[in-house]
Amino acid sequence: MYAYGFELHISTKEIVEEWLVELGPVKDKKIFYRNTRTGHYTYDASLLEQQYVERFEIYLSDIRTVRNKTFLNYIMLDKDDLHRDNPKLVILKQVFDWFSSLEIIYPDAPAIGYDSLATEDPQLIKKAFKTFATGITQVVFEEISQEKVFEGTAKDIRSGLEQRIQYVCTDTKIANRALRLNLQGRLVFVTCKDGLPQFKEVLFAHNNVKDQWFSLGEESEGTKRILDLLAVLVTVKEHSVFVIDEIDRSLHPQLTLHFVKNFLELAKQRNIQLVITTHESHLLDLNILRQDEIFFVEKDFTGSSTIFPFDRFKERFDKRIEKAYLDGRYGGVPVLEPFFMPEERWLSVE
């Protein structure tokens, strides 16, 4: 197990410190560390063949005070022979590649990569929708022209998206050549064939009503949110880490619970991980999550947030923790002032 991180000065957007540590049962082992303000750096020379130590020193020296770039990124670019001849350095590549496995679901992004729905399997999407009781009974993919896709889209947004589509379809290094667009109420899947993009809009039917198709913009916010989450449940990609902010947004509490339980069953079969933030206290159930899977975030008087693990409280495994959390036992709950009651002015009538 390893811990990688860096400290960032937000106002100046500068990296102050960066480190990679191997976590041991008794003592941690520092693989590399640097401080850009002092120029101090250290590294584990045992990872290198002797003839490469001096060269590695030069790399670290070159970047020791560079504040706009991580060493992890720098040491991975255009240094194939270094990694080929020093097999123990594979840990740097493993950590670097781990970040490429992140699938971050942003709330309002007009275009995101997708691996799970690239199969364009309407039946699979319909089956997933059915388990969430949305009322959607049919899903179809309808071919649509590029001009129709961008109809009504601002020029700067369109230009940026078209450049990204061209990049995805022409760069052979990209394993998953697919995008999902959410524009003007349309959900459009973009796939590539012979270097050219193909566009298909996703349409939905409800309650088996024939010939009445709805675009994404005509669906409820909850249905739109479920569609975002389906990228997790129907993924075919291994070694993925999904990061979802405010997973409960626009969802009924039971749907949020249902999604998490579905994911946990799926994770028994596939090597995937889910990291979420939520205000849904119903998830504080030790029958659903382990103690070491729960973290709280608490804001102090300066506005800074601290993350701390639940398992430090050493609670019983059968304890019902939701009420204790809401009562403030574990922290991470807002401290509220008395009710705001504006002064009432009454006209006196004699």
Side-chain angles (χ1 to χ4, degrees), residues 6-203:
F6 57 85
E7 179 183 337
L8 182 71
H9 195 288
I10 295 178
S11 63
T12 60
K13 298 182 180 178
E14 294 178 339
I15 297 170
V16 179
E17 292 181 275
E18 183 184 8
W19 59 89
L20 177 61
V21 178
E22 181 181 348
L23 305 178
V26 178
K27 186 179 179 180
D28 296 339
K29 181 180 180 181
K30 193 175 293 183
I31 295 176
F32 76 79
Y33 166 84
R34 71 175 178 128
N35 185 309
T36 64
R37 290 181 172 173
T38 65
H40 173 68
Y41 64 85
T42 60
Y43 67 96
D44 181 7
S46 69
L47 298 177
L48 297 162
E49 299 297 326
Q50 186 59 41
Q51 65 268 29
Y52 277 92
V53 171
E54 184 177 351
R55 180 175 168 184
F56 199 78
E57 282 269 0
I58 294 173
Y59 287 147
L60 268 168
S61 180
D62 286 345
I63 199 174
R64 63 181 179 178
T65 59
V66 176
R67 300 182 181 180
N68 64 349
K69 183 182 297 184
T70 65
F71 175 72
L72 184 63
N73 182 71
Y74 170 76
I75 202 64
M76 291 306 304
L77 298 179
D78 302 323
K79 299 175 180 63
D80 294 341
D81 59 332
L82 173 70
H83 296 280
R84 182 189 64 240
D85 298 338
N86 295 273
K88 292 182 181 179
L89 280 183
V90 69
I91 180 54
L92 299 181
K93 184 178 189 318
Q94 289 172 341
V95 173
F96 183 83
D97 288 346
W98 182 86
F99 285 98
S100 67
S101 73
L102 292 178
E103 301 282 349
I104 303 177
I105 298 179
Y106 298 101
D108 301 313
I112 64 174
Y114 70 95
D115 62 293
S116 55
L117 304 179
T119 56
E120 298 189 6
D121 186 347
Q123 298 305 314
L124 184 62
I125 300 176
K126 183 182 76 172
K127 182 179 178 181
F129 263 121
K130 188 175 181 180
T131 188
F132 284 94
T134 61
I136 290 177
T137 53
Q138 294 293 331
V139 180
V140 298
F141 294 82
E142 186 175 272
E143 290 190 11
I144 184 173
S145 68
Q146 183 168 341
E147 199 58 40
K148 189 71 173 177
V149 169
F150 291 107
E151 187 178 84
T153 304
K155 289 184 178 179
D156 55 338
I157 296 177
R158 174 172 180 166
S159 176
L161 291 176
E162 287 181 332
Q163 289 179 18
R164 182 173 178 184
I165 291 170
Q166 182 180 11
Y167 170 72
V168 168
C169 285
T170 56
D171 193 328
T172 57
K173 295 180 181 179
I174 299 177
N176 174 41
R177 298 187 184 183
L179 285 173
R180 193 180 83 185
L181 303 182
N182 188 350
L183 292 171
Q184 308 298 322
R186 293 191 182 94
L187 174 63
V188 178
F189 288 169
V190 186
T191 54
C192 304
K193 184 177 182 180
D194 299 327
L196 297 175
Q198 295 183 316
F199 303 88
K200 291 186 179 181
E201 182 179 3
V202 185
L203 300 174

